[in-house]
Amino acid sequence: MGFSTIAIHAGNEPDPSTGAVSVPIYQTSTYAQEALGKHKGFEYARTQNPTRLALEKNIAALENARFGFAFASGMSAIDAALKLVKGGDHVILGDNTYGGTFRLFNQILSDYGIEFDLDDTSDVTSLEGAFKPNTKMVFVETPTNPVMTVSDLRAVSDLAHARGAKVVCDNTFLSPYFQRPIDLGCDVVVHSTTKYLNGHSDSVGGFVALNDEADAERIGFIQNGIGAILSPFDSFLVLRGTKTLAVRMEAHDRNGRLVANFLAEHPKIQKVYYPGLASHPQHELAKRQQSGFGGMVSFETGSLQNAKTVLEAVKLCMLGESLGGVESLISHPASMTHASVPTETRGRLGITDGLVRISVGIEDVEDILEDLDQAIS
Ligand SMILES: Cc1ncc(COP(=O)(O)O)c(C=O)c1O
């Protein structure tokens, strides 16, 4: 079946008790059991919930994965995936992940004996040199946030597997509509469903999708054991969101390309980061690995003052953290999403004080372009 058919139908069976076409919000903490040990597969709502289960089937199918688990946030999903390694293990972390992922490694997991090194996962030679005898995982985000560096997921997976390490890919920026990491060899996919999967900026959530049965059992155990589950209401919202993922992503992509081209030609903009531009260093790889480029665009204004001017002058684009909603959001990575990344690392990666990131929404593109033009001018 095609992507949209799966998005609309996977997990969305009519409700068994009423026939409701839309999966109900099962707002319950527990379930009545007929007799000791006799129940309908649902015992306690941290462990199982029908609304969450429907969403788990749905996103797993979209990622072409056998198993899926919904979490309370993208960060709790990433944290669960990282629990597939143990103290004493080494993880290679892409050097330009979301700031919160870096913070999780740098300020939390490092206290529990998980070693990590940052590496540019877009450079396979550099990645090869980063492996240690105890490397058990490579964590990749592609395209990266906010400078849109693309890593070759097939090459990274082949390299890691040859050394006995698993690959986890954060697929938040493209969603399974434009990129399916498991098909490219990755072992685990993580998401902040807060972004494109939900798509309406009204829910915080996360997801882990994977194929390996033993690892899936472990993730399910962690989901229940730690309890950072997605609520029934949020599960309902994300399930509703994924039904329109294909049409939304097409619209984000269309507008994203036009905004990137507009910025690339604007005399006041020094540099544009968008894998869909022919000038992007990994444009060919992005064309091969992704089926679209999406709606995330970053651009260099040249100084903090210029960035401030743009961010404060926009009228339609809203200044705010997050991305992937129907509305255009504009942000300043250095002081917002990537504030927890050390200044020196930010400088090396190109996350300058003049860098502005826009999550291009699905409004009429003329209105977005007009807003950006007046703000930049
Ligand atoms: C790429 C990426 N991964 C993970 C996260 C964390 O997700 P959440 O905010 O849902 O915990 C974010 C949040 O911005 C993100 O952009």
Side-chain angles (χ1 to χ4, degrees):
M1 282 192 286
F3 189 92
S4 282
T5 312
I6 296 173
I8 292 164
H9 292 283
N12 280 303
E13 285 95 31
D15 182 52
S17 57
T18 62
V21 165
S22 175
V23 175
I25 303 166
Y26 280 90
Q27 193 67 31
T28 185
S29 61
T30 192
Y31 310 87
Q33 305 189 11
E34 280 169 51
L36 263 188
K38 199 162 172 227
H39 55 76
K40 297 185 166 75
F42 297 94
E43 294 155 278
Y44 183 62
R46 167 160 42 75
T47 320
Q48 312 103 345
N49 179 279
T51 321
R52 195 178 83 221
L53 197 60
L55 176 70
E56 293 178 334
K57 284 186 190 163
N58 182 262
I59 301 180
L62 294 178
E63 284 290 0
N64 207 10
R66 290 170 66 205
F67 307 102
F69 301 90
F71 287 86
S73 65
M75 287 321 305
S76 56
I78 292 172
D79 181 57
L82 291 169
K83 291 200 168 79
L84 292 174
V85 298
K86 297 190 167 57
D89 289 345
H90 175 250
V91 179
I92 301 171
L93 172 66
D95 63 2
N96 177 211
T97 55
Y98 167 61
T101 306
F102 172 73
R103 183 177 53 199
L104 175 63
F105 275 94
N106 193 40
Q107 294 184 48
I108 301 175
L109 295 175
S110 52
D111 286 346
Y112 297 88
I114 294 173
E115 294 173 31
F116 77 99
D117 278 308
L118 298 179
D119 191 69
D120 176 2
T121 52
S122 71
D123 177 348
V124 181
T125 315
S126 158
L127 181 62
E128 198 163 5
F131 279 86
K132 291 182 173 178
N134 58 340
T135 304
K136 292 285 161 48
M137 185 182 277
V138 180
F139 188 101
V140 199
E141 197 177 303
T142 180
T144 62
N145 179 5
V147 295
M148 314 294 162
T149 308
V150 179
S151 290
D152 184 335
L153 291 176
R154 172 68 62 194
V156 170
S157 299
D158 288 349
L159 196 62
H161 293 160
R163 285 158 181 74
K166 296 180 206 298
V167 177
V168 179
C169 177
D170 185 332
N171 201 24
T172 300
F173 261 38
L174 288 174
S175 89
Y177 184 67
F178 284 138
Q179 175 169 273
R180 272 184 293 283
I182 287 180
D183 291 352
L184 295 163
C186 297
D187 302 282
V188 181
V189 177
V190 291
H191 274 283
S192 166
T193 61
T194 315
K195 312 299 173 353
Y196 289 105
L197 288 173
N198 180 55
H200 294 75
S201 305
D202 51 13
S203 157
V204 171
F207 204 82
V208 178
L210 71 174
N211 269 343
D212 183 84
E213 199 159 347
D215 283 350
E217 206 169 296
R218 181 76 186 150
I219 296 286
F221 185 79
I222 290 164
Q223 184 194 40
N224 181 51
I226 293 193
I229 46 159
L230 194 64
S231 75
F233 182 58
D234 287 285
S235 298
F236 168 85
L237 285 177
V238 184
L239 196 56
R240 179 171 143 133
T242 59
K243 286 177 188 162
T244 55
L245 184 63
V247 285
R248 284 188 288 108
M249 291 313 288
E250 287 290 346
H252 282 293
D253 184 67
R254 211 165 38 241
N255 285 359
R257 291 177 198 228
L258 291 167
V259 166
N261 282 326
F262 163 81
L263 292 168
E265 282 166 16
H266 201 291
K268 291 199 173 172
I269 299 305
Q270 301 180 357
K271 191 168 178 183
V272 180
Y273 299 87
Y274 185 68
L277 290 175
S279 57
H280 187 281
Q282 291 118 5
H283 177 60
E284 290 307 317
L285 169 62
K287 272 206 301 198
R288 200 168 66 236
Q289 171 167 284
Q290 311 168 189
S291 54
F293 303 112
M296 297 304 300
V297 184
S298 298
F299 57 98
E300 180 56 56
T301 62
S303 69
L304 178 61
Q305 191 48 51
N306 285 348
K308 267 187 85 167
T309 304
V310 172
L311 293 164
E312 287 169 11
V314 283
K315 295 191 176 94
L316 176 71
C317 301
M318 282 180 278
L319 173 62
E321 299 214 10
S322 202
L323 58 108
V326 290
E327 62 287 295
S328 294
L329 281 176
I330 197 160
S331 68
H332 185 242
S335 65
M336 296 167 81
T337 48
H338 289 67
S340 53
V341 177
T343 317
E344 181 273 319
T345 314
R346 284 206 304 267
R348 184 167 47 78
L349 295 171
I351 309 174
T352 62
D353 285 347
L355 189 75
V356 171
R357 187 189 81 179
I358 172 162
S359 167
V360 181
I362 63 171
E363 300 96 337
D364 294 296
V365 75
E366 302 75 31
D367 296 327
I368 303 173
L369 295 177
E370 197 181 307
D371 190 33
L372 287 173
D373 196 25
Q374 63 81 23
I376 293 166
S377 300

